[in-house]
Coordinates of all heavy atoms in Angstrom, one line a residue:
M1 N -7.4 180.1 60.6 CA -6.8 181.4 61.2 C -6.9 182.6 60.3 O -6.5 182.5 59.1 CB -5.2 181.0 61.4 CG -4.5 182.1 62.1 SD -2.8 181.7 62.4 CE -2.1 181.7 60.8
A2 N -7.6 183.5 60.8 CA -7.7 184.9 60.1 C -6.5 185.6 60.0 O -5.8 185.7 61.1 CB -8.9 185.5 60.6
T3 N -6.2 186.3 58.9 CA -4.9 187.2 58.9 C -5.2 188.6 58.4 O -6.3 188.7 57.6 CB -3.9 186.4 58.0 OG1 -4.3 186.4 56.7 CG2 -3.5 185.2 58.6
V4 N -4.4 189.4 58.7 CA -4.5 190.8 58.2 C -3.1 191.0 57.6 O -2.1 190.6 58.1 CB -4.9 191.8 59.2 CG1 -3.9 191.8 60.4 CG2 -4.9 193.3 58.6
T5 N -3.0 191.8 56.5 CA -1.7 192.2 55.9 C -1.5 193.7 56.0 O -2.4 194.4 55.6 CB -1.6 191.8 54.4 OG1 -1.7 190.4 54.4 CG2 -0.2 192.2 53.9
Y6 N -0.4 194.1 56.5 CA -0.1 195.6 56.6 C 1.0 195.8 55.5 O 2.0 195.2 55.5 CB 0.5 195.9 58.0 CG -0.4 195.6 59.2 CD1 -0.5 194.4 59.8 CD2 -1.1 196.6 59.8 CE1 -1.3 194.1 60.8 CE2 -1.9 196.4 60.9 CZ -2.1 195.2 61.4 OH -2.8 194.8 62.5
V7 N 0.8 196.7 54.7 CA 1.7 197.2 53.7 C 2.3 198.5 54.0 O 1.6 199.5 54.0 CB 1.0 197.1 52.3 CG1 2.1 197.5 51.2 CG2 0.3 195.8 52.0
T8 N 3.7 198.6 54.2 CA 4.2 199.8 54.5 C 4.4 200.7 53.3 O 4.2 200.2 52.2 CB 5.7 199.6 55.2 OG1 6.4 198.9 54.2 CG2 5.6 198.8 56.4
H9 N 4.7 202.0 53.5 CA 4.7 202.9 52.3 C 5.7 202.5 51.3 O 5.6 202.8 50.2 CB 4.9 204.3 52.9 CG 6.3 204.6 53.2 ND1 6.8 204.2 54.5 CD2 7.4 205.1 52.6 CE1 8.1 204.6 54.6 NE2 8.5 205.1 53.4
D10 N 6.7 201.7 51.7 CA 7.8 201.3 50.7 C 7.5 199.9 50.2 O 8.4 199.4 49.6 CB 9.2 201.5 51.4 CG 9.3 200.8 52.8 OD1 8.3 200.1 53.1 OD2 10.4 200.9 53.4
G11 N 6.4 199.4 50.5 CA 6.0 198.2 49.8 C 6.2 196.9 50.6 O 5.9 195.8 50.1
N12 N 6.8 197.0 51.7 CA 7.0 195.7 52.6 C 5.7 195.3 53.1 O 4.9 196.0 53.6 CB 8.0 196.0 53.6 CG 9.4 196.2 53.1 OD1 9.8 195.4 52.2 ND2 10.1 197.2 53.6
E13 N 5.4 193.9 53.1 CA 4.2 193.4 53.6 C 4.4 192.7 54.9 O 5.4 191.8 55.0 CB 3.6 192.4 52.6 CG 3.1 193.2 51.4 CD 2.3 192.4 50.3 OE1 2.0 191.3 50.7 OE2 2.0 192.9 49.2
Y14 N 3.6 192.9 55.9 CA 3.7 192.2 57.1 C 2.4 191.5 57.4 O 1.3 192.2 57.4 CB 4.0 193.1 58.3 CG 5.4 193.8 58.1 CD1 5.6 194.9 57.3 CD2 6.5 193.2 58.7 CE1 6.7 195.5 57.1 CE2 7.7 193.9 58.6 CZ 7.8 195.0 57.8 OH 9.0 195.6 57.7
E15 N 2.3 190.2 57.5 CA 1.1 189.5 57.8 C 1.0 189.3 59.3 O 2.0 188.8 60.0 CB 1.1 188.2 57.0 CG -0.3 187.5 57.1 CD -0.4 186.3 56.2 OE1 -0.5 186.5 55.0 OE2 -0.2 185.1 56.6
A16 N -0.2 189.3 59.9 CA -0.4 189.1 61.3 C -1.7 188.3 61.5 O -2.6 188.4 60.6 CB -0.4 190.4 62.1
T17 N -1.8 187.7 62.6 CA -3.0 186.9 62.9 C -4.1 187.9 63.5 O -3.7 188.7 64.4 CB -2.8 185.7 63.9 OG1 -1.8 184.9 63.3 CG2 -4.0 185.1 64.3
L18 N -5.2 187.8 62.9 CA -6.3 188.6 63.5 C -6.9 188.0 64.6 O -7.3 186.8 64.7 CB -7.5 188.7 62.4 CG -7.4 189.9 61.4 CD1 -8.6 189.7 60.4 CD2 -7.5 191.2 62.0
I19 N -7.1 188.7 65.8 CA -7.7 188.2 67.0 C -9.0 188.9 67.2 O -9.0 190.1 67.2 CB -6.8 188.5 68.2 CG1 -5.3 188.1 68.0 CG2 -7.4 188.0 69.5 CD1 -5.0 186.7 68.1
E20 N -10.1 188.1 67.2 CA -11.4 188.6 67.4 C -11.4 189.6 68.6 O -10.9 189.1 69.6 CB -12.3 187.4 67.6 CG -13.8 187.8 67.7 CD -14.6 187.7 66.5 OE1 -14.2 186.8 65.5 OE2 -15.6 188.2 66.4
G21 N -11.9 190.8 68.4 CA -12.1 191.7 69.5 C -10.9 192.5 69.8 O -10.9 193.4 70.7
K22 N -9.8 192.4 69.1 CA -8.5 193.1 69.2 C -8.4 194.0 68.2 O -8.7 193.7 66.9 CB -7.4 192.1 69.3 CG -6.1 192.7 69.7 CD -5.1 191.6 69.7 CE -3.6 192.1 70.1 NZ -2.7 191.0 70.2
S23 N -8.0 195.3 68.5 CA -7.9 196.3 67.4 C -6.7 196.0 66.5 O -5.6 195.4 66.9 CB -7.7 197.7 68.0 OG -6.4 197.8 68.5
L24 N -6.8 196.5 65.3 CA -5.7 196.3 64.3 C -4.5 197.0 64.7 O -3.4 196.7 64.5 CB -6.1 196.9 62.9 CG -7.1 196.1 62.1 CD1 -7.1 196.6 60.7 CD2 -6.8 194.6 62.2
M25 N -4.7 198.2 65.5 CA -3.5 198.9 66.1 C -2.8 198.1 67.1 O -1.6 197.9 67.0 CB -4.0 200.2 66.8 CG -2.9 201.0 67.5 SD -2.5 200.4 69.1 CE -3.7 201.1 70.0
Q26 N -3.5 197.5 68.0 CA -2.9 196.6 69.0 C -2.2 195.4 68.4 O -1.1 195.0 68.9 CB -3.9 196.1 70.1 CG -3.3 195.7 71.4 CD -2.5 196.8 72.1 OE1 -2.9 197.8 72.3 NE2 -1.2 196.4 72.2
T27 N -2.8 194.8 67.4 CA -2.2 193.7 66.8 C -0.8 194.1 66.2 O 0.2 193.4 66.3 CB -3.1 193.1 65.7 OG1 -4.3 192.6 66.3 CG2 -2.4 192.1 64.9
A28 N -0.9 195.3 65.5 CA 0.5 195.7 64.8 C 1.4 196.1 65.9 O 2.6 195.7 65.8 CB 0.0 197.0 64.0
V29 N 1.1 196.7 67.0 CA 2.0 197.0 68.0 C 2.6 195.7 68.6 O 3.9 195.6 68.8 CB 1.4 197.9 69.2 CG1 2.3 198.0 70.4 CG2 1.0 199.3 68.6
D30 N 1.7 194.8 68.9 CA 2.2 193.5 69.5 C 3.1 192.7 68.7 O 4.0 192.0 69.1 CB 0.9 192.7 69.9 CG 0.1 193.2 71.1 OD1 0.7 194.2 71.8 OD2 -1.0 192.7 71.3
E31 N 2.9 192.9 67.3 CA 3.8 192.2 66.3 C 4.9 193.1 65.9 O 5.7 192.6 64.9 CB 2.9 191.8 65.1 CG 1.8 190.9 65.4 CD 2.3 189.5 65.9 OE1 3.3 189.0 65.3 OE2 1.6 188.8 66.7
A32 N 5.1 194.2 66.5 CA 6.2 195.2 66.2 C 6.2 195.5 64.7 O 7.3 195.5 64.0 CB 7.6 194.5 66.5
I33 N 5.1 195.7 64.0 CA 4.9 196.1 62.7 C 5.3 197.6 62.6 O 4.8 198.4 63.3 CB 3.5 195.8 62.1 CG1 3.4 194.2 62.1 CG2 3.4 196.4 60.8 CD1 2.1 193.7 61.8
P34 N 6.3 197.9 61.7 CA 6.7 199.3 61.6 C 5.7 200.2 61.0 O 5.0 199.8 60.1 CB 8.0 199.2 60.7 CG 7.9 197.9 60.0 CD 7.1 197.1 60.8
G35 N 5.6 201.4 61.5 CA 4.7 202.4 61.0 C 3.4 202.7 61.8 O 2.6 203.5 61.4
I36 N 3.1 201.8 62.8 CA 2.0 202.0 63.6 C 2.6 202.1 65.1 O 3.1 201.1 65.6 CB 0.9 200.9 63.5 CG1 0.3 200.9 62.1 CG2 -0.2 201.0 64.6 CD1 -0.9 200.0 61.9
D37 N 2.4 203.3 65.6 CA 2.9 203.5 67.0 C 1.8 203.3 68.2 O 2.1 202.8 69.2 CB 3.6 204.9 67.1 CG 4.8 205.0 66.2 OD1 5.4 203.9 65.9 OD2 5.1 206.1 65.8
G38 N 0.7 203.9 67.8 CA -0.4 203.7 68.8 C -0.1 204.5 70.1 O -0.3 204.0 71.2
D39 N 0.5 205.7 70.0 CA 0.9 206.5 71.1 C -0.2 206.8 72.2 O 0.2 206.9 73.4 CB 1.5 207.8 70.6 CG 2.9 207.6 69.9 OD1 3.4 206.6 70.1 OD2 3.3 208.6 69.3
C40 N -1.4 206.9 71.9 CA -2.4 207.3 72.9 C -3.0 206.0 73.5 O -4.0 206.1 74.3 CB -3.4 208.2 72.3 SG -4.7 207.4 71.1
G41 N -2.6 204.9 73.0 CA -3.1 203.6 73.6 C -4.5 203.2 73.0 O -5.1 202.4 73.6
G42 N -5.0 203.9 72.0 CA -6.2 203.5 71.4 C -7.3 204.4 71.7 O -8.5 204.0 71.6
E43 N -7.0 205.6 72.1 CA -8.1 206.6 72.4 C -8.5 207.5 71.4 O -9.3 208.5 71.6 CB -7.6 207.4 73.7 CG -7.3 206.7 74.9 CD -8.5 205.9 75.4 OE1 -9.6 206.5 75.5 OE2 -8.3 204.8 76.0
A44 N -8.1 207.2 70.0 CA -8.3 208.1 68.9 C -7.9 209.5 69.2 O -8.6 210.4 68.7 CB -9.9 208.1 68.7
A45 N -6.7 209.6 69.8 CA -6.3 211.0 70.2 C -4.9 211.3 69.7 O -4.4 212.4 69.9 CB -6.3 211.1 71.7
C46 N -4.3 210.5 68.9 CA -2.9 210.8 68.5 C -2.8 210.7 67.0 O -1.9 211.3 66.4 CB -2.0 209.8 69.2 SG -2.0 208.1 68.6
G47 N -3.5 209.8 66.3 CA -3.3 209.7 64.9 C -2.1 208.9 64.5 O -1.8 208.8 63.2
T48 N -1.4 208.3 65.4 CA -0.2 207.4 65.0 C -0.5 206.0 64.6 O 0.3 205.1 64.5 CB 0.8 207.4 66.1 OG1 0.3 206.7 67.3 CG2 1.2 208.8 66.5
C49 N -1.8 205.8 64.4 CA -2.2 204.4 64.0 C -3.0 204.4 62.7 O -3.7 203.4 62.3 CB -3.1 203.8 65.1 SG -4.7 204.6 65.2
H50 N -2.8 205.5 61.9 CA -3.6 205.7 60.7 C -3.3 204.6 59.7 O -2.0 204.2 59.4 CB -3.1 207.1 60.1 CG -3.7 207.5 58.8 ND1 -3.0 208.4 58.0 CD2 -4.8 207.0 58.1 CE1 -3.8 208.5 56.9 NE2 -4.9 207.7 56.9
V51 N -4.3 204.1 59.1 CA -4.1 203.1 58.0 C -5.1 203.5 56.9 O -6.1 204.1 57.1 CB -4.4 201.7 58.4 CG1 -3.4 201.2 59.5 CG2 -5.8 201.4 58.8
V52 N -4.7 203.1 55.7 CA -5.6 203.2 54.5 C -6.1 201.9 54.1 O -5.3 201.0 53.8 CB -4.9 203.9 53.3 CG1 -5.9 204.0 52.1 CG2 -4.3 205.3 53.7
V53 N -7.4 201.7 54.4 CA -8.1 200.4 54.1 C -8.1 200.2 52.6 O -8.5 201.0 51.8 CB -9.4 200.3 54.7 CG1 -10.1 199.0 54.3 CG2 -9.3 200.5 56.2
D54 N -7.8 198.9 52.1 CA -7.9 198.5 50.7 C -9.4 198.9 50.4 O -10.3 198.5 51.0 CB -7.6 197.1 50.5 CG -7.7 196.6 49.1 OD1 -8.8 196.8 48.4 OD2 -6.8 196.2 48.6
P55 N -9.7 199.6 49.3 CA -11.1 200.0 49.0 C -12.0 198.8 48.8 O -13.2 199.0 49.1 CB -10.9 200.7 47.6 CG -9.5 201.2 47.6 CD -8.7 200.2 48.4
T56 N -11.5 197.6 48.4 CA -12.5 196.5 48.3 C -12.9 196.1 49.6 O -13.9 195.2 49.8 CB -11.8 195.4 47.6 OG1 -10.6 194.9 48.3 CG2 -11.3 195.8 46.2
W57 N -12.3 196.5 50.7 CA -12.6 196.1 52.1 C -13.5 197.1 52.9 O -14.0 196.8 54.0 CB -11.5 195.8 52.9 CG -10.9 194.3 52.5 CD1 -10.0 194.0 51.6 CD2 -11.3 193.2 53.2 NE1 -9.8 192.7 51.7 CE2 -10.6 192.1 52.6 CE3 -12.3 192.9 54.2 CZ2 -10.8 190.8 53.0 CZ3 -12.4 191.6 54.6 CH2 -11.7 190.5 54.0
I58 N -13.5 198.4 52.4 CA -14.1 199.3 53.2 C -15.6 199.2 53.7 O -15.9 199.5 54.8 CB -14.0 200.8 52.6 CG1 -14.1 201.9 53.6 CG2 -14.7 201.0 51.4 CD1 -13.1 201.9 54.7
D59 N -16.3 198.6 52.7 CA -17.8 198.3 53.2 C -17.9 197.2 54.2 O -18.7 197.1 55.1 CB -18.6 197.9 52.0 CG -18.8 199.1 51.0 OD1 -18.8 200.2 51.5 OD2 -19.1 198.8 49.8
T60 N -16.9 196.3 54.2 CA -16.9 195.2 55.3 C -16.4 195.7 56.6 O -17.0 195.4 57.6 CB -15.9 194.1 54.8 OG1 -16.3 193.7 53.5 CG2 -15.9 193.0 55.8
V61 N -15.4 196.5 56.6 CA -14.8 197.0 57.9 C -15.5 198.2 58.4 O -15.4 198.5 59.6 CB -13.3 197.2 57.9 CG1 -12.6 196.0 57.4 CG2 -13.0 198.4 56.9
G62 N -16.1 199.0 57.5 CA -16.8 200.2 57.9 C -16.0 201.4 57.7 O -14.7 201.3 57.9
R63 N -16.6 202.6 57.7 CA -15.9 203.8 57.5 C -15.8 204.4 58.9 O -16.3 204.0 59.9 CB -16.7 204.7 56.6 CG -16.7 204.3 55.2 CD -17.3 205.3 54.1 NE -17.3 204.6 52.8 CZ -16.3 204.7 52.0 NH1 -15.2 205.4 52.2 NH2 -16.4 204.2 50.8
S64 N -14.9 205.5 58.9 CA -14.6 206.2 60.1 C -15.9 206.8 60.9 O -16.7 207.3 60.1 CB -13.4 207.2 60.0 OG -13.9 208.1 58.9
G65 N -15.8 206.8 62.1 CA -16.8 207.5 62.9 C -16.6 209.0 63.1 O -15.5 209.5 62.7
E66 N -17.4 209.7 63.9 CA -17.2 211.1 64.2 C -15.9 211.4 64.9 O -15.2 212.3 64.4 CB -18.4 211.6 65.0 CG -18.6 213.1 65.0 CD -19.9 213.5 65.6 OE1 -20.8 212.8 65.5 OE2 -19.8 214.5 66.4
V67 N -15.6 210.6 65.9 CA -14.3 210.9 66.6 C -13.2 210.6 65.8 O -12.2 211.5 65.8 CB -14.3 210.0 67.9 CG1 -13.0 210.2 68.6 CG2 -15.5 210.3 68.8
E68 N -13.2 209.6 65.0 CA -12.0 209.3 64.1 C -11.9 210.5 63.1 O -10.8 210.8 62.8 CB -12.3 208.0 63.3 CG -11.9 206.7 64.0 CD -12.2 205.6 63.1 OE1 -11.3 205.3 62.2 OE2 -13.2 205.0 63.2
E69 N -13.0 210.9 62.6 CA -12.9 211.9 61.6 C -12.2 213.2 62.1 O -11.4 213.8 61.3 CB -14.4 212.4 61.1 CG -14.9 211.5 60.1 CD -14.1 211.3 58.9 OE1 -13.6 212.4 58.3 OE2 -14.0 210.3 58.4
E70 N -12.5 213.5 63.3 CA -11.8 214.7 63.9 C -10.2 214.6 63.8 O -9.5 215.5 63.5 CB -12.2 214.9 65.3 CG -13.5 215.6 65.5 CD -13.8 215.9 67.0 OE1 -12.9 216.1 67.8 OE2 -15.1 215.8 67.3
M71 N -9.7 213.4 64.1 CA -8.3 213.2 64.2 C -7.8 213.0 62.7 O -6.8 213.7 62.3 CB -8.0 212.0 65.0 CG -6.5 211.5 65.0 SD -5.5 212.9 65.6 CE -6.2 213.2 67.2
L72 N -8.6 212.3 61.8 CA -8.1 212.0 60.5 C -8.1 213.4 59.6 O -7.3 213.5 58.8 CB -9.0 211.0 59.8 CG -8.8 209.5 60.3 CD1 -9.9 208.7 59.8 CD2 -7.4 209.0 59.9
S73 N -9.0 214.3 60.0 CA -9.1 215.5 59.2 C -7.8 216.3 59.4 O -7.5 217.2 58.6 CB -10.3 216.3 59.7 OG -10.0 216.9 61.0
M74 N -7.0 216.0 60.4 CA -5.7 216.7 60.6 C -4.5 216.0 60.0 O -3.4 216.5 60.0 CB -5.4 216.9 62.2 CG -6.4 217.8 62.9 SD -5.8 218.0 64.6 CE -6.7 216.6 65.4
H75 N -4.8 214.9 59.4 CA -3.7 214.0 58.9 C -3.5 214.4 57.4 O -4.4 214.3 56.5 CB -4.1 212.5 59.0 CG -2.9 211.7 59.1 ND1 -1.9 211.6 58.1 CD2 -2.4 211.0 60.1 CE1 -1.0 210.7 58.4 NE2 -1.2 210.4 59.6
P76 N -2.3 214.8 57.1 CA -1.9 215.3 55.7 C -2.1 214.1 54.7 O -2.2 214.4 53.4 CB -0.5 215.8 55.7 CG 0.1 215.1 57.0 CD -1.1 214.9 57.9
E77 N -1.9 212.9 55.1 CA -2.0 211.8 54.1 C -3.4 211.1 54.2 O -3.5 210.0 53.7 CB -0.9 210.8 54.4 CG 0.5 211.4 54.1 CD 1.5 210.3 54.3 OE1 2.0 210.2 55.5 OE2 2.0 209.7 53.4
R78 N -4.4 211.7 54.7 CA -5.7 211.1 54.7 C -6.2 210.8 53.4 O -6.0 211.6 52.4 CB -6.5 212.1 55.5 CG -7.9 211.6 55.8 CD -9.0 212.1 55.0 NE -10.1 211.3 55.1 CZ -11.1 211.3 56.0 NH1 -10.9 212.3 57.0 NH2 -12.1 210.5 56.1
E79 N -6.7 209.7 53.2 CA -7.4 209.2 52.0 C -8.8 208.8 52.2 O -9.3 208.8 53.3 CB -6.6 208.1 51.3 CG -5.3 208.5 51.0 CD -4.4 207.4 50.2 OE1 -5.1 206.5 49.6 OE2 -3.2 207.4 50.2
A80 N -9.6 208.6 51.1 CA -11.0 208.3 51.2 C -11.3 207.1 52.1 O -12.4 207.0 52.7 CB -11.6 208.1 49.8
T81 N -10.4 206.1 52.2 CA -10.7 205.0 53.0 C -9.7 204.9 54.2 O -9.4 203.8 54.8 CB -10.5 203.7 52.2 OG1 -9.1 203.6 51.7 CG2 -11.5 203.5 51.0
S82 N -9.3 206.1 54.7 CA -8.6 206.2 55.9 C -9.3 205.8 57.1 O -10.5 206.0 57.3 CB -8.0 207.6 56.1 OG -7.0 207.8 55.2
R83 N -8.6 205.1 58.0 CA -9.2 204.8 59.3 C -8.1 204.8 60.4 O -6.9 204.9 60.1 CB -9.8 203.3 59.4 CG -10.9 203.0 58.5 CD -12.2 203.5 59.1 NE -12.5 203.3 60.5 CZ -13.2 202.3 61.0 NH1 -13.6 201.4 60.2 NH2 -13.3 202.2 62.3
L84 N -8.5 205.0 61.6 CA -7.6 204.9 62.8 C -7.7 203.4 63.2 O -8.8 202.9 63.6 CB -8.0 205.8 63.9 CG -8.0 207.3 63.7 CD1 -8.5 208.0 65.0 CD2 -6.6 207.7 63.4
S85 N -6.6 202.7 63.1 CA -6.7 201.3 63.3 C -7.0 200.9 64.7 O -7.4 199.8 65.0 CB -5.4 200.7 62.8 OG -4.2 201.1 63.6
C86 N -6.8 201.9 65.6 CA -7.3 201.6 67.0 C -8.8 201.5 67.2 O -9.2 200.9 68.2 CB -6.7 202.6 68.0 SG -7.3 204.3 67.9
Q87 N -9.4 202.1 66.3 CA -10.9 202.0 66.3 C -11.5 200.8 65.5 O -12.7 200.7 65.3 CB -11.5 203.3 65.7 CG -11.0 204.5 66.6 CD -11.3 204.4 68.1 OE1 -12.4 204.3 68.4 NE2 -10.2 204.5 68.9
M88 N -10.6 200.0 64.9 CA -11.0 198.9 64.1 C -10.9 197.6 64.8 O -9.7 197.1 65.0 CB -10.1 198.8 62.7 CG -10.2 200.0 61.9 SD -9.1 200.0 60.5 CE -9.8 198.6 59.5
V89 N -11.9 197.2 65.4 CA -11.9 196.0 66.2 C -12.2 194.8 65.3 O -13.3 194.7 64.8 CB -12.9 196.1 67.4 CG1 -12.9 194.9 68.3 CG2 -12.6 197.3 68.2
A90 N -11.2 193.9 65.3 CA -11.2 192.8 64.4 C -12.4 191.8 64.6 O -12.7 191.5 65.7 CB -9.9 192.1 64.3
T91 N -12.8 191.2 63.5 CA -13.7 190.0 63.5 C -13.1 189.1 62.6 O -12.3 189.3 61.7 CB -15.1 190.3 63.1 OG1 -15.2 190.5 61.7 CG2 -15.6 191.7 63.7
E92 N -13.5 187.8 62.8 CA -13.0 186.7 61.9 C -13.3 187.0 60.4 O -12.7 186.5 59.5 CB -13.5 185.4 62.3 CG -13.1 184.9 63.7 CD -11.7 184.2 63.7 OE1 -11.4 183.6 62.6 OE2 -11.0 184.4 64.6
A93 N -14.4 187.7 60.2 CA -14.9 188.0 58.9 C -13.9 188.9 58.1 O -14.1 189.1 56.8 CB -16.2 188.7 58.9
W94 N -13.0 189.5 58.8 CA -12.0 190.3 58.2 C -10.8 189.5 57.7 O -9.8 190.1 57.2 CB -11.5 191.4 59.1 CG -12.5 192.4 59.4 CD1 -13.8 192.4 59.2 CD2 -12.3 193.5 60.3 NE1 -14.4 193.5 59.8 CE2 -13.5 194.2 60.4 CE3 -11.1 194.1 60.9 CZ2 -13.6 195.4 61.2 CZ3 -11.2 195.3 61.7 CH2 -12.5 195.9 61.8
D95 N -10.9 188.2 57.7 CA -9.7 187.4 57.2 C -9.4 187.8 55.6 O -10.2 187.8 54.8 CB -10.2 185.9 57.1 CG -9.1 185.0 56.7 OD1 -7.8 185.4 56.9 OD2 -9.4 183.9 56.2
G96 N -8.1 188.1 55.5 CA -7.6 188.6 54.2 C -7.5 190.0 54.0 O -7.2 190.6 53.0
L97 N -7.9 190.8 55.0 CA -7.9 192.2 55.0 C -6.5 192.7 54.7 O -5.5 192.2 55.3 CB -8.4 192.8 56.3 CG -8.3 194.3 56.5 CD1 -9.2 195.1 55.6 CD2 -8.7 194.7 58.0
T98 N -6.4 193.8 53.9 CA -5.1 194.5 53.6 C -5.3 196.0 54.0 O -6.3 196.6 53.5 CB -4.7 194.3 52.2 OG1 -4.6 192.9 51.9 CG2 -3.4 195.0 51.9
V99 N -4.3 196.5 54.7 CA -4.3 198.0 55.0 C -2.9 198.5 54.7 O -2.0 197.8 54.7 CB -4.6 198.3 56.4 CG1 -6.1 197.8 56.9 CG2 -3.7 197.7 57.4
R100 N -2.9 199.7 54.2 CA -1.7 200.4 53.7 C -1.3 201.4 54.7 O -2.2 202.1 55.3 CB -1.9 200.9 52.3 CG -0.7 201.4 51.6 CD -0.9 201.7 50.1 NE -2.3 202.3 49.8 CZ -2.4 203.5 50.0 NH1 -1.5 204.4 50.4 NH2 -3.6 204.1 49.6
L101 N -0.1 201.5 55.0 CA 0.4 202.5 56.1 C 1.0 203.8 55.3 O 1.7 203.7 54.4 CB 1.5 201.9 56.9 CG 1.2 200.5 57.6 CD1 2.3 200.1 58.5 CD2 -0.1 200.6 58.2
P102 N 0.6 205.0 55.8 CA 1.1 206.1 55.2 C 2.5 206.3 55.4 O 3.1 205.7 56.4 CB 0.2 207.2 55.8 CG -0.2 206.7 57.1 CD -0.4 205.2 57.0
E103 N 3.2 207.2 54.7 CA 4.6 207.4 54.9 C 4.9 208.1 56.2 O 5.9 207.7 56.9 CB 5.2 208.2 53.8 CG 6.7 208.4 53.9 CD 7.3 209.0 52.6 OE1 6.6 209.4 51.7 OE2 8.6 209.1 52.6
F104 N 4.1 209.0 56.6 CA 4.3 209.8 57.8 C 3.1 209.7 58.8 O 2.0 209.8 58.3 CB 4.5 211.2 57.6 CG 5.7 211.5 56.6 CD1 5.4 211.9 55.3 CD2 7.0 211.3 57.1 CE1 6.6 212.1 54.4 CE2 8.1 211.6 56.2 CZ 7.9 211.8 54.9
Q105 N 3.3 209.4 60.0 CA 2.3 209.4 61.0 C 2.4 210.6 61.8 O 3.3 211.3 61.8 CB 2.4 208.2 61.9 CG 2.3 206.8 61.3 CD 0.8 206.5 60.9 OE1 -0.1 207.4 61.0 NE2 0.5 205.2 60.5
L106 N 1.2 211.1 62.4 CA 1.2 212.3 63.1 C 2.1 212.1 64.4 O 2.3 211.1 64.8 CB -0.2 212.7 63.5 CG -1.1 213.1 62.5 CD1 -2.5 213.3 63.0 CD2 -0.6 214.4 61.8
Ligands
LIG1 FE1 -3.9 207.0 69.0 FE2 -5.2 205.4 67.4 S1 -3.7 204.9 68.8 S2 -5.3 207.5 67.6

């Protein structure tokens, strides 16, 4: 069973099962993980699903695309490995992935 860990800004860790083909945003919303709202339903239009990928994982999960960049560029807590989790469609190869949640979402 592949898992992902979400770490909130205050250090709490929430582990969830990764479902192949399901976005990290949807997984977080379905598991009621605090800090990810997914207000636009995964259209890369709200920025409420921002996560910071652990740097050791960024080459595996890939960097943000052009549409993501537009939204992330407006985010005050944007970091080098920031992604919109709605655009991160999980694969089993991501087993053990850790993402950090910013203190404030858009
Ligand atoms: Fe809106 Fe990801 S859910 S940008």
Side-chain angles (χ1 to χ4, degrees):
M1 182 177 70
T3 61
V4 55
T5 301
Y6 301 83
V7 183
T8 59
H9 74 278
D10 52 4
N12 290 317
E13 296 188 4
Y14 297 85
E15 190 174 282
T17 301
L18 271 176
I19 309 288
E20 182 102 20
K22 186 174 179 178
S23 76
L24 288 194
M25 177 279 283
Q26 197 60 57
T27 296
V29 169
D30 290 350
E31 298 293 325
I33 291 168
I36 294 188
D37 294 335
D39 287 346
C40 74
E43 300 298 323
C46 70
T48 64
C49 67
H50 177 202
V51 297
V52 179
V53 176
D54 184 302
T56 62
W57 278 94
I58 195 64
D59 288 339
T60 303
V61 304
R63 294 187 183 272
S64 54
E66 194 174 325
V67 174
E68 273 183 84
E69 278 302 317
E70 279 183 34
M71 181 54 61
L72 287 169
S73 67
M74 292 186 271
H75 208 294
E77 294 183 276
R78 191 252 162 83
E79 296 186 27
T81 59
S82 286
R83 293 286 314 265
L84 295 178
S85 59
C86 67
Q87 303 302 303
M88 298 175 68
V89 179
T91 77
E92 294 279 326
W94 293 5
D95 182 27
L97 171 65
T98 299
V99 296
R100 189 163 43 79
L101 310 184
E103 183 171 3
F104 302 105
Q105 295 286 10
L106 289 178

